[in-house]
Every structure is written in C-alpha cells, then in structure tokens.
C-alpha cells in the first residue's frame, strides 16, 4: 500500500499532538512530535544554565548541538539518553521554546533529523514548518487552528490533570502566553509558522478530538487510495 507523509502544522495548543497521535495509530504510521524536540532542547539549555550563551556564542551553540542526541520513541522524547517527556510541557519551557527555536543552528540540526525520520514516509509529523519547510511535498497537509480562549481552556485542563492541582498560570495568563508564542513563531525569519498554500484548514474550536481524528484519517485514506 502507498505510504504518505501527513504534515500537521498549526497554532499553539490547537490539538495537533493529540490528533496526530491518534491518526498515526489508526494508520499504523509513526508519529513524530517535532515540538517535543524543540522543548527537550529548551529543557537542556535551561538545566545547564546556558540560556544567555546560546544567543551570544554561535560556536558554543553549535558544539552543544553536536553533542546532543535526540530520540523519539512513540510518544516519548529522549535527550542524551534521558526520557524527558514528563518535564517538557511546563510553563517555563513554554516561555523559552519559541526563542530557542528561532536560532538558525537549532533549526538546521532539527530539520536534518526530521527529514531523516520521514524519509521512508508512513509518518504523521506535527509542528510549525512541516508542510512549508521540512516536507513541502507532503501528500497531505493540515493546518490546525482554534480560537485562543478555547485553546487556553484545553491547555488549562491538560496542565491541571498533569499537576493534579491548579496550574501556576490563570486562564487569562495561559491565553496571553499562547498568543505570545503564536506571534513569536509567526514573526521569526526562519521557517515561521505559516499556513501552507495547499493545506486543508481545520478549525477545531468546536470539534471533538474524535471528529478531528476522523476528518484527517478520512482525508488520508482518500489520498492513500488515489
Ligand atoms: O503543543 P504546542 O502547540 O503548545 O507546542 P509544540 O508543538 O510542542 O511546540 C512548542 C514550540 O516549539 C512552538 O511554539 C515553536 O516555537 C517550536 N516549534 C517550532 O519552531 N517548529 C516546529 N516544527 C515545532 C515546534
């Protein structure tokens, strides 16, 4: 059976990861969460106390990147041999990840890895630049959006569940944070967040996860059968 690349891009907290994961499972495809790679790197930089250095010393950043090993395995992201999946969806990481992901050496390194991961097709890859930069020839491109309040509500519920208590940020703060990240991602010169011209736009403001999954799965089956 023909294998394709499904590129799912979109604004922050629009449900890309959850939807992409389910679509991949239904198609028996590999799910690749590129945001998790940027988040894992941000965690490493924060832990090492190198946040200032990476913006001022390109050679040192390049050395750091050369020494960094990324592995994606199912839903999990590993960096330098440690499964950091439980540590990357924090408000602190969210505050820095757009800045880290705007750096040229960072984008170059992760682009090489992501292209390798998709070289045999049969992947659902989610991010910001998959349909525009990483796989501009992807057979199916989806661009997910939703209104900011709805996205903040979803992220709030997600954080609440994870921390088994109230998140450190209020709903209003989360919404502001999401909008700030969208603006930063769209404004950067390298691989900005942009809707690919040939993408199907999916507004998930009033859609359930099941409906989103069904929509993309149906579109994929159609392309695969062509
Ligand atoms: O899940 P959420 O939409 O909050 O974000 P994510 O997909 O985990 O991505 C986190 C951040 O990584 C984004 O805000 C971007 O700054 C960056 N990113 C990127 O620059 N390019 C990608 N392909 C994926 C993520």
């Amino acid at each position: 059976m023909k294998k394709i690349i499904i590129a799912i891009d979109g604004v922050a907290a629009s449900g890309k990861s959850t939807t992409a994961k389910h679509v991949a499972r239904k198609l028996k495809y590999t799910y690749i969460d590129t945001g998790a790679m940027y988040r894992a790197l941000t965690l490493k930089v924060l832990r090492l106390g190198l946040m200032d250095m990476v913006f001022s010393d390109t050679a040192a950043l390049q050395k750091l990147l050369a020494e960094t090993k990324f592995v994606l395995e199912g839903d999990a992201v590993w960096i330098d041999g440690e499964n950091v999946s439980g540590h990357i969806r924090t408000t602190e990481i969210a505050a820095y990840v757009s800045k880290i992901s705007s750096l040229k050496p960072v984008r170059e390194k992760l682009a090489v890895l992501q292209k390798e991961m998709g070289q045999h097709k049969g992947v659902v890859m989610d991010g910001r630049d998959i349909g525009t930069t990483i796989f501009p020839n992807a057979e199916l491109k989806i661009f997910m959006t939703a209104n900011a309040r709805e996205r903040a509500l979803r992220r709030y519920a997600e954080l609440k569940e994870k921390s088994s208590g109230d998140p450190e940020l209020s709903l209003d703060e989360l919404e502001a944070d999401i909008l700030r990240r969208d603006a930063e991602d769209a404004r950067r010169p390298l691989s900005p967040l942009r809707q690919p011209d040939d993408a199907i736009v999916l507004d998930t403001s009033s859609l359930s996860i099941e409906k989103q999954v069904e929509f993309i799965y149906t579109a994929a089956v159609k392309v695969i059968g062509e």
Side-chain angles (χ1 to χ4, degrees):
M1 182 132 58
K2 176 171 120 183
K3 286 199 166 188
I4 64 167
I5 292 177
I6 303 175
I8 305 185
D9 292 302
V11 292
S14 54
K16 297 182 300 295
S17 309
T18 315
T19 311
K21 210 179 296 173
H22 282 90
V23 171
R25 199 170 299 152
K26 275 184 92 146
L27 289 167
K28 299 197 170 59
Y29 273 24
T30 304
Y31 164 57
I32 299 166
D33 180 353
T34 64
M37 301 171 82
Y38 289 97
R39 285 173 179 270
L41 180 65
T42 305
L43 176 71
K44 175 171 177 170
V45 171
L46 280 168
R47 278 181 176 174
L48 293 174
L50 298 177
M51 198 46 83
D52 290 336
M53 184 279 278
V54 293
F55 292 97
S56 57
D57 187 342
T58 305
L61 170 61
Q62 261 151 351
K63 183 164 176 289
L64 180 83
L65 287 167
E67 291 165 357
T68 301
K69 185 147 177 43
F70 295 89
V71 174
L72 284 184
E73 207 178 61
D75 296 358
V77 58
W78 297 65
I79 193 161
D80 302 332
E82 180 190 351
N83 180 349
V84 293
S85 314
H87 305 288
I88 57 169
R89 304 205 185 274
T90 64
T91 43
E92 191 188 18
I93 304 281
Y96 288 100
V97 65
S98 293
K99 292 165 189 69
I100 290 289
S101 64
S102 70
L103 293 163
K104 188 162 184 244
V106 170
R107 297 217 76 84
E108 282 172 353
K109 160 115 185 182
L110 294 199
V112 170
L113 296 177
Q114 290 158 10
K115 284 177 186 167
E116 263 171 33
M117 291 172 182
Q119 64 182 327
H120 302 301
K121 304 205 174 186
V123 295
V124 183
M125 197 174 279
D126 91 61
R128 300 292 186 288
D129 61 340
I130 311 306
T132 51
T133 306
I134 306 297
F135 288 113
N137 296 323
E139 290 83 353
L140 179 61
K141 298 181 188 178
I142 307 286
F143 191 83
M144 286 180 56
T145 79
N147 70 57
R149 196 60 175 181
E150 184 57 36
R151 292 188 277 141
L153 279 164
R154 290 178 193 165
R155 196 44 55 98
Y156 191 82
E158 200 177 287
L159 288 170
K160 190 163 179 161
E161 194 184 294
K162 236 170 257 160
S163 60
S164 346
D166 283 333
E168 352 163 359
L169 295 187
S170 69
L171 193 56
D172 284 341
E173 285 168 330
L174 259 182
E175 184 175 333
D177 201 66
I178 283 171
L179 288 170
R180 174 197 49 78
R181 201 143 52 85
D182 284 349
E184 282 187 35
D185 289 342
R187 205 171 46 212
R188 70 171 173 241
L190 296 168
S191 305
L193 164 68
R194 189 170 63 71
Q195 181 185 315
D197 296 334
D198 49 353
I200 301 174
V201 178
L202 186 59
D203 185 331
T204 69
S205 301
S206 52
L207 283 183
S208 64
I209 294 289
E210 291 75 27
K211 283 266 183 323
Q212 288 160 214
V213 172
E214 198 50 42
F215 181 90
I216 301 176
Y217 177 76
T218 305
V221 168
K222 186 164 172 276
V223 175
I224 292 167
E226 274 165 4

